[in-house]
Amino acid sequence: MVNQKNILLGVSGGIAVYKACALASKLTQKGANVKVMMTESAAEFVTPLTFQALSRNPVYIDTFDEKHPEKIAHIDLADWADIAIIAPATANIIGKLANGIADDMLTTTLLATQADVYVAPAMNVHMYAHPAVIKNMKQLEEWGYHFIEPGAGYLACGYVGKGRLEEPESIIEAIETHQHQEPFLTGRKVLISAGPTREKIDPIRFFTNHSTGKMGFALAEAAAEFGADVTLVCGPVAEKTTHPRIQRINVMTAEEMYEAMHVHFEEQDIVIKSAAVADYRPKLVYEEKMKKQDGEWHIEMERTKDILQSLGEVKSTQYLVGFAAETTNPLEYGKKKLVKKNLDAIVINDVSSEGAGFGGDTNMVTYVNKLLKQEEIALASKREVAEKILKFIDQDMKDEIR
Ligand code: CTP
């Protein structure tokens, strides 16, 4: 809840600054202590006096405008803040923060703060989709910044699309929901597998699949933030882990993943198998590169072990959750896997539907527990989907559905 919280509202320069006025006002009305820091361009849109009146506090713009000789304002404000909100966040400020640039009061303060930082972007639709902006936002997310996605609609630049600053009420709601999350997994051990496996043919070639590990990494980050001690067994992926409570174990093949999962299985409370394990591997692995020859090359494949099934066979108190990636009849096939592999729950992923499945940053899934109760998780970022999955698991464990 924002009541009694010290909130630093960072306002950067875009037409959406007018909405930041409403945000400052609503936060103050909810009992927050709000101090506003503006960039010089923000002050071109709305005067500091407006924010001063709405927040009932002085407004800060210039690093060198030190009002109290006994304090250094930007450090003092960085320490004072419980929560920092950047709204609107322009492509420029996102770019500066992602690169550690501190050339004005707002960026300097944000670099110095230990507060939870929420970023609400607002910009032109093409700017928001630019690879540089996407890369910068990803970097900030990796460092623990929380993004409040812009809405879609008519933009001041005349375009219709994504880039409109989220409404002040929704920004506050998102922050309150996030702040309110209990660390309900504290003391729990969670084992997660993520990514593809890679099955060698020769020193040059291998079989694999499209998995990027994003869903499994989102689960690992969310579980760690909810207080769990996480062991993450992952195949070859580009994703990075940031949370100190995540122990990462890199594997390459299905066999290595099998070994790692079984080594760590016993002491776990929750085990989630989101990896896309190769079901087959070449029967023969060539030591030397296979030179090309005329005609066809037939590679004989053999089955790998079904890791999830093998865990289902030995499980005692562990809450075991599988994933099912399907393209047809997802619910029917998913439920069959739940029973066949002796799982406590399954997350069914229709990888053929838009916005779901491999590679992207979003997903939509159906969570089915052992009583075959279905919970739909609508299209959202993989992180949000991960949080909902963990909450369903926690609820089912409390209700002793296993
Ligand atoms: N899985 C596993 N080991 C394998 C294959 C799959 O542990 N060798 C796990 C996956 O991590 C996932 C679940 O089993 O949690 C379902 O994977 P999926 O690929 O959807 O199904 P399969 O069991 O491989 O069945 P099918 O290929 O018939 O769809």
Side-chain angles (χ1 to χ4, degrees):
M1 297 298 140
V2 295
N3 184 21
Q4 301 292 320
K5 287 269 163 72
N6 292 341
I7 298 187
L8 178 71
L9 176 58
V11 183
S12 61
I15 187 64
V17 171
Y18 77 94
K19 281 193 185 173
C21 300
L23 181 60
S25 167
K26 284 188 195 314
L27 287 167
T28 311
Q29 284 170 38
K30 279 183 157 267
N33 309 314
V34 180
K35 292 190 182 175
V36 178
M37 201 173 270
M38 302 175 81
T39 61
E40 279 180 9
S41 357
E44 297 283 332
F45 289 90
V46 170
T47 64
L49 187 61
T50 308
F51 282 106
Q52 181 176 306
L54 293 169
S55 67
R56 297 176 208 138
N57 271 314
V59 173
Y60 303 82
I61 299 181
D62 182 0
T63 327
F64 302 104
D65 179 17
E66 292 285 3
K67 292 184 174 60
H68 305 286
E70 73 281 8
K71 288 178 186 161
I72 298 170
H74 65 275
I75 301 296
D76 192 47
L77 286 162
D79 293 343
W80 168 85
D82 301 313
I83 294 171
I85 309 171
I86 316 171
T90 56
N92 185 44
I93 195 153
I94 290 171
K96 283 204 235 175
L97 287 172
N99 289 284
I101 295 169
D103 64 351
D104 62 9
M105 182 131 189
L106 182 54
T107 44
T108 312
T109 309
L110 288 167
L111 211 56
T113 194
Q114 299 280 301
D116 283 341
V117 184
Y118 295 89
V119 187
M123 63 194 79
N124 163 271
V125 60
H126 299 312
M127 287 169 92
Y128 190 67
H130 194 284
V133 176
I134 292 171
K135 185 168 169 241
N136 290 333
M137 291 195 294
K138 219 169 165 316
Q139 177 61 74
L140 291 177
E141 243 171 1
E142 272 176 24
W143 289 339
Y145 288 62
H146 311 284
F147 276 83
I148 299 165
E149 278 193 35
Y154 181 79
L155 304 177
C157 54
Y159 278 98
V160 176
K162 200 165 176 179
R164 200 164 67 172
L165 180 68
E166 188 52 286
E167 295 305 320
E169 295 82 357
S170 308
I171 294 178
I172 296 174
E173 198 187 312
I175 294 170
E176 286 192 324
T177 309
H178 185 261
Q179 288 285 312
H180 200 58
Q181 277 168 356
E182 299 284 320
F184 58 87
L185 293 177
T186 301
R188 290 240 172 95
K189 286 180 169 293
V190 179
L191 174 64
I192 296 169
S193 75
T197 65
R198 195 179 274 183
E199 312 298 332
K200 221 169 133 178
I201 304 168
D202 70 7
I204 312 290
R205 308 172 178 96
F206 54 81
F207 282 98
T208 189
N209 57 61
H210 289 296
S211 171
T212 54
K214 283 183 179 172
M215 193 63 236
F217 275 64
L219 280 162
E221 291 286 338
E225 277 187 29
F226 286 145
D229 289 311
V230 179
T231 306
L232 175 64
V233 174
C234 56
V237 290
E239 293 295 299
K240 294 191 191 104
T241 42
T242 53
H243 202 287
R245 266 198 307 276
I246 301 177
Q247 184 203 354
R248 175 177 180 159
I249 298 167
N250 292 320
V251 296
M252 202 57 92
T253 62
E255 188 61 29
E256 286 170 15
M257 187 172 278
Y258 175 92
E259 292 297 329
M261 292 298 284
H262 277 272
V263 165
H264 293 278
F265 185 67
E266 200 172 326
E267 71 260 26
Q268 303 298 325
D269 299 300
I270 300 170
V271 179
I272 309 175
K273 197 113 208 335
S274 63
V277 187
D279 288 320
Y280 294 90
R281 65 179 172 210
K283 199 164 180 177
L284 190 67
V285 179
Y286 296 93
E287 291 298 324
E288 306 293 331
K289 181 188 171 188
M290 273 295 287
K291 300 299 282 178
K292 67 175 170 297
Q293 283 153 25
D294 291 339
E296 291 165 353
W297 178 14
H298 294 270
I299 297 173
E300 198 178 347
M301 305 287 276
E302 64 180 6
R303 285 282 301 271
T304 56
K305 289 175 188 150
D306 190 318
I307 306 168
L308 187 59
Q309 182 145 346
S310 70
L311 296 174
E313 282 161 14
V314 297
K315 93 180 168 82
S316 53
T317 56
Q318 300 86 350
Y319 196 88
L320 184 60
V321 182
F323 265 68
E326 307 291 349
T327 53
T328 43
N329 300 334
L331 281 177
E332 190 190 324
Y333 283 125
K335 286 178 187 171
K336 274 189 187 151
K337 282 177 194 170
L338 171 78
V339 177
K340 184 169 173 241
K341 301 194 186 193
N342 190 26
L343 310 179
D344 297 297
I346 192 151
V347 179
I348 303 171
N349 214 328
D350 180 354
V351 289
S352 65
S353 50
E354 194 160 331
F358 295 129
D361 291 317
T362 58
N363 209 355
M364 68 200 260
V365 299
T366 308
Y367 174 93
V368 182
N369 71 12
K370 206 159 189 171
L371 302 178
L372 300 185
K373 185 172 167 230
Q374 280 170 227
E375 304 278 3
E376 303 296 337
I377 303 179
L379 188 67
S381 70
K382 285 190 171 167
R383 175 55 194 258
E384 284 170 84
V385 172
E387 289 179 7
K388 288 194 175 143
I389 292 170
L390 291 168
K391 284 178 186 166
F392 285 134
I393 294 172
D394 181 58
Q395 194 53 54
D396 281 347
M397 288 177 84
K398 282 189 183 128
D399 296 343
E400 297 187 359
I401 299 169
R402 49 168 63 217

